[in-house]
Amino acid sequence: MNKQELFENIKKKKSFLCVGLDTDIKKIPEHLLKEEDPIFAFNKAIIDATAPYCIAYKPNLAFYESMGVKGWIAFEKTVEYIKKNYPDQFIIADAKRGDIGNTSAMYARTFFEELNIDSVTVAPYMGEDSVTPFLTYAGKWVILLALTSNKGSHDFQLTTDTEGERLFEKVLRKSQEWANDQNMMYVVGATQGRMFEDIRKIVPNHFLLVPGIGAQGGSLEEVCKYGMTKECGLIVNSSRAIIYADKTENFANVAAEEAKKVQQQMEKELAAIL
């Protein structure tokens, strides 16, 4: 999926919502534990319920890898289900990979050849040769960690060099030598607020993947005020606030209601550019 196709889908659905599939076997409704594959059964129900209101899904690999082979099978089945039934959805493998070149090349092969996923999150801190193997695949996206929403982001990402440049700013500037806004996005946490202004000075046209609204307390209005572009430029993720909104047999319907609420907020924010 290229940048224009992504924007067209945003316009069509009047949404830039990404539903995070952070599926924890210990948090899903108990009745699903009777299923042959409880994780996939949960994901399938969530996807069917929320697909009208979102433009992307983001399975977080840690939740699947924690279950070994069973979890990986559920992950693969989830990806295939989305691709077959909702081909307009942008799929993000939230894997945060990044290693020396030949290792990154294997990670890239996993997600872009074996699974044929649209994008993968990548950690940039081993430098260019750890990122560029992901950039050799036409039509695929690298989503580079820039400024995250967790408390520990201050430990390194906001530290400054002798010229006053913050580390996340160095990542933004340097990485533009490797790719452009047609195949690279950045992760910027919703809790960063007005920092989006500083980010947009460096990457005015790139899409940003924005986790942290909902359970983490980020403000959608603030993200849009400081981060939205004329092509939207935002994919805003919500995970727990949607998928775990209810733990009864009605969980999928409640998830749909929560996703619709977010979509309706997004429709208002998009009115200025559509």
Side-chain angles (χ1 to χ4, degrees):
M1 184 179 295
N2 62 36
K3 186 179 181 183
Q4 186 59 36
E5 289 169 338
L6 182 57
F7 183 43
E8 290 300 323
N9 207 28
I10 289 170
K11 290 192 290 185
K12 181 179 73 175
K13 290 193 167 182
K14 295 182 172 59
S15 174
F16 45 98
L17 172 63
C18 173
V19 174
L21 298 173
D22 297 6
T23 309
D24 185 344
I25 192 72
K26 296 182 179 180
K27 292 183 179 180
I28 66 175
E30 286 189 15
H31 74 277
L32 292 176
L33 299 179
K34 300 174 185 176
E35 298 282 343
E36 180 181 351
D37 188 339
I39 295 296
F40 176 65
F42 177 82
N43 285 353
K44 179 179 180 296
I46 291 290
I47 292 163
D48 288 340
T50 60
Y53 311 112
C54 66
I55 52 93
Y57 287 101
K58 183 176 70 66
N60 185 324
L61 267 292
F63 290 84
Y64 302 88
E65 292 171 339
S66 69
M67 295 186 64
V69 173
K70 291 186 297 182
W72 189 264
I73 290 171
F75 168 68
E76 288 192 337
K77 287 164 66 176
T78 298
V79 169
E80 285 303 313
Y81 186 78
I82 297 169
K83 286 164 58 178
K84 179 180 179 181
N85 295 279
Y86 304 99
D88 62 339
Q89 293 287 345
F90 188 73
I91 304 176
I92 301 166
D94 191 2
K96 300 179 180 70
R97 300 299 197 249
D99 208 325
I100 60 172
N102 63 339
T103 307
S104 279
M106 294 301 102
Y107 285 138
R109 183 186 297 178
T110 299
F111 295 109
F112 293 153
E113 290 187 36
E114 180 67 21
L115 296 169
N116 194 25
I117 290 175
D118 296 299
S119 63
V120 61
T121 57
V122 176
Y125 292 103
M126 287 182 69
E128 179 180 4
D129 61 333
S130 70
V131 177
T132 50
F134 295 94
L135 294 166
T136 61
Y137 292 85
K140 303 300 184 182
W141 292 82
V142 166
I143 308 181
L144 212 63
L145 299 179
L147 186 57
T148 55
S149 57
N150 60 307
K151 182 180 178 182
S153 64
H154 292 248
D155 292 342
F156 300 115
Q157 296 165 31
L158 294 178
T159 57
T160 58
D161 61 17
T162 55
E163 297 179 354
E165 184 179 48
R166 291 167 290 191
L167 183 56
F168 80 87
E169 293 172 319
K170 187 182 294 293
V171 168
L172 293 172
R173 290 192 176 96
K174 183 65 179 177
S175 62
Q176 289 183 78
E177 299 174 11
W178 314 333
N180 57 40
D181 61 12
Q182 300 297 317
N183 62 346
M184 183 176 281
M185 305 183 190
Y186 297 97
V187 176
V188 180
T191 57
Q192 298 297 345
R194 291 198 65 165
M195 295 286 275
F196 279 84
E197 280 188 311
D198 296 337
I199 289 163
R200 282 302 185 201
K201 291 174 184 176
I202 304 171
V203 288
N205 300 313
H206 286 69
F207 263 86
L208 306 178
L209 172 63
V210 184
I213 68 162
Q216 294 185 54
S219 165
L220 178 63
E221 293 79 7
E222 199 166 51
V223 168
C224 293
K225 180 178 181 180
Y226 300 116
M228 185 174 282
T229 70
K230 63 182 180 180
E231 295 177 308
C232 183
L234 299 170
I235 300 175
V236 173
N237 181 78
S238 180
S239 301
R240 287 169 285 173
I242 290 176
I243 68 173
Y244 297 135
D246 183 84
K247 292 189 177 182
T248 71
E249 294 190 7
N250 196 42
F251 74 97
N253 290 330
V254 177
E257 292 169 4
E258 293 302 314
K260 185 176 182 179
K261 289 177 188 176
V262 178
Q263 182 272 325
Q264 289 173 335
Q265 289 180 279
M266 291 179 169
E267 185 174 356
K268 293 178 183 178
E269 298 292 343
L270 285 166
I273 64 168
L274 297 183

